[in-house]
Amino acid sequence: MSDSKNLQPVRGTHDLLPEAARVQRHVVHTLQTVTKNYGYQEIATPMFEFTEVFARTLGETSDVVSKEMYSFSDRGGESLTLRPEGTAGVARSVISNKLYDFLPLKYWYTGAMFRYERPQKGRQRQFHQVGVEFLGVSTPLADAETIALGWHFLQQLQLEGNLRLEINSLGDEASRTVYRTALVAYLERYKTSLSADSQERLLRNPLRILDSKDAGDQEIITGAPSLKDSMSDEATAYFAAVQEYLSLINIPVVVNSRLVRGLDYYSHTAFEIISDGLGAQATVLAGGRYDGLIEMMGGKPTAGIGWAAGIERLALLLPPLEALPRPVAVIAMADAQEQYAFTVVQNLRGQGIMAELITSGNVAKKFKKANKINALYAVLLGEEEAATGRLTVKNLDSGEQQKIAIEEIKKGLSL
RNA sequence: GCGGGCGUAGCUCAGUUGGUUAGAGCGCGAGAUUGUGGUUCUUGAGGUCGGGGGUUCGAGACCCCUCGCUCGCCCCA
């Protein structure tokens, strides 16, 4: 590995070899199937946008914007950014295409996201998400439905380990502003006792201090004013209704009043689904309501709620996939049948049968190769078969052999 | 961005207090008289010990730097 530096994938990126690619495909396919029953359609937005699209919506002071974005100038001098998440792009697309005239909209998406972070298990610099956005409806029912969709999706994947749905309300914007002021006023008194991280957060995103893992911080937070007390009656009722809808369909919910999301565009309902099967990166699906987002970006006021899930994290929790279907191995017994064998494989493929031509080597060798590709059947072609068109088919598990006309093979073997 | 652990063949790992041509299992290739495999046996290929520098008569082992992975913090999906 003398020139290892250039042959290594960039830090935090990974090749998707066939097995992993199949797992990711399975996750996406599962979402596609589940969302269909909820009336969702796929949307795909560009992998990069003008930097401003993310900077404005996620919040200039958010960690994602302030230190994790892959931003660069293109040759025309424009500042562009590789998308760190999916919602901002969809929101931009809704405005660009004036889709707010066609509400409500239900979109799902998948794709690579980019964040300059320190890689860890379940955390990469290029990672993949699936997500959904439900635009144009601001009712507790819409929140419950969206959360149910996420829950349903994860059930469908049959993840190993336990999942926990945590939910909170950040209140409407007015409530949040009131609360932020009250919280900061309280925390200022303990400023010097707070952890260094939280002292920093006090300036940038004080609500996140509620979520601190530092024991000292937690102690201080115990006495802090509660967001509930600052919430308007409407916001409180809204949150109660969301919970009621969820209980109606038996989705277990844990209210976590310290759950705060890191992106600025959220209001009202916020939620996370957390797995006990991962390490520090335990959140497997998360999202919330973002009613102010589209207006903030310059569009008509449009309600919205959505979530995203990390495909790599889901992959870590996925049970083994079904075994791949087994092919038919076509074997010429002698060189004289090689060309005939090629026509036979093509014939089988034309019938919709997965078939592989085993070339080179003596017959014993070819059988070994057939085993290696996990073939269920071997089709043997010698002088007799070539003359009669009736092929010798051997079941490689049982060893049984039979003769079948080529056009009967599909039925004869129930392939 | 901060702190800890790790990095030896494709994979999983062993390499005694620094000492000659770096090992094993699995996997891979070839063979065991040419129309029948999965077992077994024989045999072969494959490593500049992540990379660079240093200490030493001598380094996979010690020191420094660097790259990557990993655990926690942070952040988040």
Side-chain angles (χ1 to χ4, degrees):
Chain A
M1 299 263 268
S2 55
D3 47 358
S4 56
K5 169 90 195 232
N6 294 326
L7 293 179
Q8 266 172 2
V10 172
R11 181 154 145 105
T13 69
H14 294 283
D15 298 314
L16 266 186
L17 299 180
E19 218 173 312
R22 194 171 156 240
V23 168
Q24 295 217 355
R25 181 74 63 193
H26 175 248
V27 170
V28 174
H29 183 251
T30 301
L31 181 76
Q32 185 175 7
T33 307
V34 174
T35 51
K36 205 171 97 185
N37 297 331
Y38 287 75
Y40 280 74
Q41 292 183 298
E42 181 173 9
I43 188 169
T45 64
M47 228 178 282
F48 54 91
E49 300 271 356
F50 290 117
T51 297
E52 203 184 329
V53 169
F54 303 113
R56 283 240 310 266
T57 57
L58 307 183
E60 299 279 0
T61 60
S62 71
D63 279 54
V64 170
V65 171
S66 60
K67 45 196 189 196
E68 295 177 359
M69 294 206 306
Y70 276 95
S71 298
F72 59 97
S73 300
D74 72 3
R75 290 173 187 274
E78 297 285 2
S79 177
L80 307 179
T81 295
L82 262 32
R83 63 180 178 201
E85 58 97 49
T87 301
V90 172
R92 194 234 76 225
S93 175
V94 166
I95 299 171
S96 304
N97 296 291
K98 300 201 176 3
L99 296 172
Y100 38 65
D101 287 337
F102 302 92
L103 300 173
L105 301 166
K106 289 176 166 182
Y107 292 133
W108 70 268
Y109 63 83
T110 183
M113 306 293 162
F114 306 85
R115 253 120 95 159
Y116 189 87
E117 292 185 278
R118 176 112 179 227
Q120 241 181 75
K121 187 177 183 181
R123 187 215 268 174
Q124 300 165 208
R125 288 184 173 181
Q126 177 181 331
F127 61 104
H128 300 82
Q129 287 187 335
V130 291
V132 305
E133 313 293 352
F134 181 11
L135 297 148
V137 182
S138 188
T139 63
L141 176 61
D143 296 40
E145 210 180 302
T146 305
I147 293 170
L149 168 59
W151 187 255
H152 191 167
F153 165 57
L154 298 184
Q155 297 305 146
Q156 208 64 29
L157 287 172
Q158 301 180 358
L159 302 183
E160 285 164 354
N162 298 311
L163 295 177
R164 184 173 76 252
L165 169 62
E166 293 192 355
I167 186 173
N168 191 22
S169 175
L170 306 173
D172 49 47
E173 230 179 302
S175 312
R176 195 148 57 128
T177 308
V178 171
Y179 177 62
R180 184 191 302 249
T181 311
L183 181 65
V184 171
Y186 169 81
L187 290 173
E188 283 289 352
R189 285 187 271 145
Y190 301 92
K191 189 172 176 181
T192 50
S193 316
L194 286 170
S195 66
D197 280 330
S198 286
Q199 291 189 30
E200 175 72 12
R201 282 188 280 236
L202 193 53
L203 304 171
R204 296 157 48 129
N205 192 347
L207 296 200
R208 285 212 61 88
I209 297 175
L210 299 175
D211 224 0
S212 173
K213 285 179 192 167
D214 184 90
D217 289 353
Q218 282 299 335
E219 193 124 338
I220 295 170
I221 291 161
T222 319
S226 161
L227 190 126
K228 280 183 204 139
D229 301 334
S230 304
M231 256 162 60
S232 66
D233 292 347
E234 291 80 11
T236 305
Y238 190 102
F239 186 41
V242 172
Q243 292 176 66
E244 200 178 333
Y245 276 118
L246 288 170
S247 78
L248 225 46
I249 53 175
N250 302 314
I251 293 181
V253 172
V254 179
V255 175
N256 176 359
S257 57
R258 289 171 182 168
L259 172 60
V260 178
R261 318 258 32 252
L263 309 181
D264 274 8
Y265 55 58
Y266 287 111
S267 62
H268 280 291
T269 313
F271 56 93
E272 288 188 10
I273 298 179
I274 299 155
S275 163
D276 62 3
L278 300 168
Q281 272 62 49
T283 300
V284 103
L285 183 152
R289 178 159 285 285
Y290 48 83
D291 288 348
L293 175 61
I294 293 198
E295 185 179 12
M296 185 208 298
M297 291 177 81
K300 289 186 186 174
T302 305
I305 181 167
W307 51 254
I311 298 181
E312 284 82 359
R313 288 185 190 177
L314 292 173
L316 292 170
L317 298 168
L318 230 43
L321 295 187
E322 247 176 71
L324 289 168
R326 300 169 68 182
V328 168
V330 176
I331 293 177
M333 304 306 281
D335 290 351
Q337 285 87 43
E338 289 286 357
Q339 291 195 333
Y340 176 52
F342 180 51
T343 70
V344 170
V345 207
Q346 287 302 101
N347 183 311
L348 295 178
R349 289 170 174 163
Q351 295 185 50
I353 295 171
M354 191 192 303
E356 203 62 39
L357 180 59
I358 309 293
T359 52
S360 80
N362 57 31
V363 174
K365 200 90 200 162
K366 288 176 176 172
F367 268 91
K368 286 184 180 169
K369 286 185 181 172
N371 288 326
K372 203 157 290 175
I373 63 171
N374 195 32
L376 176 54
Y377 293 104
V379 168
L380 309 180
L381 305 174
E383 279 179 33
E384 193 193 326
E385 289 85 353
T388 63
R390 289 177 64 76
L391 314 182
T392 300
V393 179
K394 176 169 185 168
N395 181 314
L396 290 171
D397 288 346
S398 66
E400 283 168 32
Q401 261 178 229
Q402 55 180 317
K403 296 226 173 183
I404 310 181
I406 190 162
E407 56 280 358
E408 299 295 322
I409 283 190
K410 184 151 185 166
K411 282 183 183 169
L413 303 181
S414 62
L415 285 169

